[in-house]
Amino acid sequence: MILIALVFAVLQLANVTGRDTPDTKNYLSYELNLSGVGKQRAAAETIDYVCAGKASVARRDQAVDPVRFHRASPTRRVVAECRRDQWRGVSARLASGPTAGRIVPFMPPRFMRIFEVRPGYPVFLLPFVTVLGVTWGLWASAVLVTVAGGVLVFLVLRTLRASTGAALTGQALYYVLPCGTTAMRPMTEGLMMALTLAALWGCALVLEGRARAGTWLAGGSLAVLFTVKHSQALFLGLCLAAACAALLARRRRWDGPLRTLGVVAGSGVLATVLLAKLLHYPSQSESVQDLLTAHYARPDRVHPWPEFLHLEAAFWIEWTRRQLWEPLFLAAVVAAGWGALRRHRAFAVFLIAAAGTGVLNQAAHPDINVWGGRLIVLLWLLPAVGLPLLLDLVVRRGARMPGGLLPGPARREAEVAR
């Protein structure tokens, strides 16, 4: 497990810069402000990081361009253009007077408010950027959180008594699938997936008889997730509570540990709703206006919900068409769900519920132009955990001999299980 994590970390040295997204500016400037840096300097350091990344990508692209590879390096030109574009709006907003919040005003205040209510990720970045600087701090934090996600997949599978080979396969799958690629980008998704996996580990512990530890782990993960992205905490709490209710209804008995876990998940949902209202977090209607007005660049819609529902239907039709064109994602999800249900049905309910939060997150933001499918990336947790369970099921069945006996360690495990 450690060797796979180390190999993955070393391979990430190939791309230290150029991983940032538009959201990275907001989280980085938030972290710099938390460390005591003023907004003018935070803006300068953030813009320098973003423009260095753009220049790095432009230089690599030109090096392999059949027409332009022999030309001079575009670094200076790209950096100058990037700085000019980034400073254009920031300078005007900073010059107009003090700005509210901790984030540099790269966008209008209503849009920045969405990121102001996510302090968890900037706090996570704080020690890395303080010690290693912006570039290496963001890289190291991304490597750590991605490695942690893979290790959590390993721990979940081992808790479910999957073979070591299957658990290592799950760890490797997490790194090579889009969930690992997205986690390596400096934004909240990596930390969100790690916390979701921690909650899943808690569910696995509950099912394996370690109810107290598992319940505390799931509840603590929901609490921390609220600080990272409260909408994800709401979705995960709802889905885990629904999974507990489904399992209790199927078993037709009042299972104490599952009941407690369901109560904790439901309490997390209630606490998220109440705290978000008490702290005046942006509501769902505000999010819909942000989507339909291109981040408030246009006037608010008078009747946003009918337009949103129309866009929602059109989005899923187009998304399905694209998935059927390249069906690897759907095939992996279906195979993983089937394997999980056959190998460990009770946990599969929790796994499908947690991965389903990716669908809910995408449904709340039906924007087909969002890069890389990062809004639905949590659905990739299903293949990362479910496919190794399917592999473990196939290997165990293949090990059975004609007389119904299992050779070697597999036989001893079966006898212990009986």
Side-chain angles (χ1 to χ4, degrees):
M1 180 190 73
I2 295 173
L3 179 61
I4 292 176
L6 287 175
V7 170
F8 171 79
V10 170
L11 293 177
Q12 301 317 300
L13 290 170
N15 294 278
V16 177
T17 59
R19 297 179 185 267
D20 58 286
T21 70
D23 291 354
T24 302
K25 300 195 300 289
N26 303 317
Y27 296 121
L28 177 56
S29 64
Y30 197 150
E31 183 280 331
L32 290 170
N33 189 268
L34 288 174
S35 65
V37 174
K39 286 191 177 177
Q40 188 72 32
R41 182 182 163 189
E45 292 192 27
T46 302
I47 290 172
D48 286 347
Y49 171 77
V50 170
C51 293
K54 288 182 179 297
S56 175
V57 173
R59 184 174 63 252
R60 297 197 301 266
D61 288 345
Q62 181 176 302
V64 294
D65 190 300
V67 177
R68 298 182 296 126
F69 69 92
H70 58 281
R71 298 181 183 178
S73 172
T75 300
R76 290 186 178 180
R77 174 181 57 81
V78 172
V79 168
E81 292 175 356
C82 174
R83 285 177 174 168
R84 182 174 61 252
D85 294 340
Q86 293 293 332
W87 276 110
R88 184 179 294 119
V90 174
S91 298
R93 294 188 184 98
L94 289 175
S96 63
T99 55
R102 293 184 174 275
I103 302 177
V104 173
F106 292 104
M107 295 286 284
R110 285 177 70 186
F111 180 71
M112 303 311 298
R113 176 63 181 163
I114 296 173
F115 297 91
E116 291 281 355
V117 301
R118 302 175 184 175
Y121 183 60
V123 170
F124 170 74
L125 293 177
L126 190 57
F128 295 95
V129 176
T130 301
V131 175
L132 300 175
V134 171
T135 299
W136 286 102
L138 289 178
W139 178 86
S141 64
V143 168
L144 179 64
V145 80
T146 308
V147 165
V151 171
L152 283 165
V153 171
F154 177 90
L155 293 173
V156 167
L157 291 169
R158 289 301 287 158
T159 299
L160 297 173
R161 302 181 186 181
S163 66
T164 303
L168 292 174
T169 300
Q171 180 189 8
L173 279 175
Y174 182 84
Y175 296 149
V176 301
L177 289 175
C179 44
T181 306
T182 304
M184 274 301 301
R185 292 189 172 272
M187 51 186 182
T188 58
E189 274 69 14
L191 194 52
M192 278 170 45
M193 285 188 284
L195 290 168
T196 301
L197 284 167
L200 274 176
W201 187 22
C203 296
L205 289 171
V206 170
L207 293 174
E208 292 299 319
R210 300 173 62 183
R212 179 173 296 180
T215 302
W216 275 103
L217 181 57
S221 299
L222 287 172
V224 177
L225 191 56
F226 176 84
T227 69
V228 176
K229 191 175 182 182
H230 72 281
S231 61
Q232 176 62 19
L234 176 65
F235 293 153
L236 184 58
L238 278 171
C239 289
L240 293 184
C244 289
L247 289 173
L248 288 170
R250 181 178 178 274
R251 296 183 179 188
R252 296 180 182 178
R253 59 188 176 87
W254 203 239
D255 189 302
L258 275 180
R259 177 196 61 191
T260 304
L261 181 61
V263 169
V264 168
S267 299
V269 172
L270 183 60
T272 298
V273 172
L274 293 178
L275 280 174
K277 189 173 183 62
L278 182 64
L279 298 173
H280 304 290
Y281 280 10
S283 63
Q284 181 60 36
S285 61
E286 190 72 2
S287 179
V288 170
Q289 289 289 0
D290 167 58
L291 175 71
L292 297 176
T293 60
H295 305 314
Y296 308 110
R298 297 181 176 87
D300 281 10
R301 295 288 203 270
V302 179
H303 304 291
W305 286 106
E307 295 183 27
F308 175 80
L309 294 175
H310 176 82
L311 180 63
E312 188 81 53
F315 170 86
W316 288 111
I317 292 172
E318 175 62 17
W319 184 88
T320 303
R321 186 191 66 80
R322 296 188 184 189
Q323 297 305 316
L324 293 176
W325 185 9
E326 300 179 41
L328 175 62
F329 181 35
L330 291 180
V333 168
V334 171
W338 181 78
L341 286 167
R342 294 298 300 273
R343 178 64 176 80
H344 200 303
R345 182 164 298 180
F347 177 76
V349 176
F350 285 112
L351 176 60
I352 293 170
T357 60
V359 178
L360 293 178
N361 192 32
Q362 181 69 80
H365 307 84
D367 187 352
I368 204 71
N369 298 313
V370 173
W371 177 90
R374 65 181 179 87
L375 292 175
I376 203 172
V377 71
L378 282 152
L379 191 55
W380 279 104
L381 295 182
L382 183 54
V385 180
L387 289 179
L389 290 174
L390 176 60
L391 172 66
D392 195 49
L393 177 67
V394 172
V395 170
R396 286 172 182 267
R397 287 190 173 183
R400 292 186 180 275
M401 300 184 69
L405 299 178
L406 294 169
R411 179 177 180 179
R412 289 196 296 271
E413 289 179 9
E415 291 172 351
V416 170
R418 282 197 292 271

